[in-house]
Amino acid sequence: MRTRNVKEFGATGGGTTLDTVAIQTAIDAGGLVYFPPGVYLSGTLYLRSNGGLELSPGAILRGSPNLADYNPADFVPQNSASKAEVTSGGHLIAAVECSNIVLCGGGTIDGNHPAFLNETDPECPLMYRRIARPGQMVFLCECTDVRIQDLNLKNAPYWTCFLHGCEEVTIHGLHIQSDPRVLNDDGIDLDCCRRVTVSDCIISTGDDALTLRGNNSRLKQKRDCCEIVVTNCILESHYANAIRVGVGCGEIHDALFENIIVPGYRTAISLVSNWSNDPASCVGAEIHDIEFRNIRSHARRFLQIKLDNAPAGNAHTSATLHGIMIQHVRGTMELSNMLRGNGAGKLYDITLDDIRLNCRGNGPAPELDFKGAWGHASTDAAFELNHADEIEFRNVRIDYAPEACGWHADIRATHSTFHTTMCKFSLGFQPESTR
């Protein structure tokens, strides 16, 4: 792949002059565009097939502070803006229906969120007030043969790196750092993507660190989200989930997560078929055949597996979630692990093997939104099962810290079936449990 120096096309790299035209001209000339050290201020850049960006160490590609410098929401039919989350649908880097594209080099892609988000929300002091801002910082849609490696991605004003309907993808060695006061600042979102590896990344966000999604409604070619391996990563989410699986009405399956460290904060692993509480929404994603192994977690909640987030009695999701294996886990927890169906769909065939958790916290906690604890609901059971069947606990051990109080059961199972083998529980099962 031929390399072109962006400065030869007129880019200044001075951080004050808009370099969009010069960079785009270099991209359109074909091949790999090289950025020597400097700060390159830019609006939307459109990648082409058989090319990409190489940012050298010391090179920073920074998003323009002017929304007018970004693409319109309707620049391609697959794109959209979010009114609810106050985004324009613009991107700093965009590639649609391209092949053989590369982002690499050891430099930095900076979304420049302080230009859009810098005022505290008076209703939520933990967050910035949401005003007009660009959408996903990196947007790759229906692309094939993609490599993103050895880059720093920071200051995204919304999701950091969004791949929608892409295939044959390698993501390696990314350092993603986001300000947790930015709402919806996901790290890597893989939506309806196939044959993807993510390795050796360090991600710290306020919202979800890494997600698998099944929202195929805007794609030209409908795809499952499948054949994905995530390994050797540190994933941290301050207010949401280190690993989130769900969203959409497609299918998410055949994925492996291994050798993952979750240093702390909200939830380590979250699988939810339908995240919407709206009964008129789609039935939810079909989720099956996903394995997690070798996990170190110090998140407040280690695990939640649910069909939906609807309040009790308002179940509407008829999807199925099954074939989940979780093995070789060590860590701590403060909130109940939730395995919850709804009586309409099916949640079954979940195995927890070689799990050791030291339980802290005080057991019961209310369901709160992000203005408080952002969904930190908990009961007085370490594992809360409801409408969940064929749940297998193998060699699971729950210890309780001396200061922990309010816990009354290791497992509570309502309308559920489970089996235990070689487990060490100190509180036992609630009377309504069925085995």
Side-chain angles (χ1 to χ4, degrees), residues 328-361:
H328 313 313
V329 175
R330 299 292 183 269
T332 59
M333 56 168 278
E334 298 179 19
L335 304 172
S336 298
N337 298 293
M338 302 287 190
L339 284 75
R340 192 182 79 189
N342 57 19
K346 293 184 178 180
L347 190 154
Y348 68 98
D349 186 18
I350 298 169
T351 301
L352 295 96
D353 179 28
D354 186 24
I355 313 289
R356 285 193 178 188
L357 294 172
N358 187 279
C359 191
R360 303 172 181 175

Side-chain angles (χ1 to χ4, degrees), residues 95-132:
V96 180
E97 300 173 45
C98 294
S99 61
N100 191 22
I101 55 176
V102 179
L103 297 172
C104 65
T108 298
I109 301 174
D110 181 345
N112 198 13
H113 86 72
F116 307 98
L117 305 168
N118 51 34
E119 299 178 12
T120 299
D121 187 334
E123 296 184 359
C124 180
L126 296 174
M127 303 293 171
Y128 291 124
R129 184 170 66 91
R130 286 187 290 189
I131 60 175

Side-chain angles (χ1 to χ4, degrees), residues 246-297:
V247 179
C249 299
E251 193 167 347
I252 306 170
H253 59 94
D254 291 291
L256 170 63
F257 294 82
E258 64 175 351
N259 303 339
I260 307 294
I261 289 180
V262 180
Y265 300 110
R266 163 86 184 274
T267 300
I269 298 172
S270 178
L271 292 82
V272 180
S273 178
N274 188 350
W275 287 80
S276 172
N277 290 331
D278 179 7
S281 69
C282 69
V283 295
E286 299 288 326
I287 302 173
H288 62 92
D289 297 303
I290 299 179
E291 183 173 353
F292 303 85
R293 63 190 186 208
N294 299 336
I295 311 292
R296 297 275 178 171
S297 171

Side-chain angles (χ1 to χ4, degrees), residues 43-54:
T44 300
L45 299 172
Y46 303 91
L47 301 184
R48 309 302 185 199
S49 294
N50 303 312
L53 309 179
E54 180 184 357

Side-chain angles (χ1 to χ4, degrees), residues 83-99:
K83 292 184 179 179
E85 296 178 349
V86 197
T87 71
S88 70
H91 314 287
L92 178 54
I93 297 174
V96 180
E97 300 173 45
C98 294
S99 61

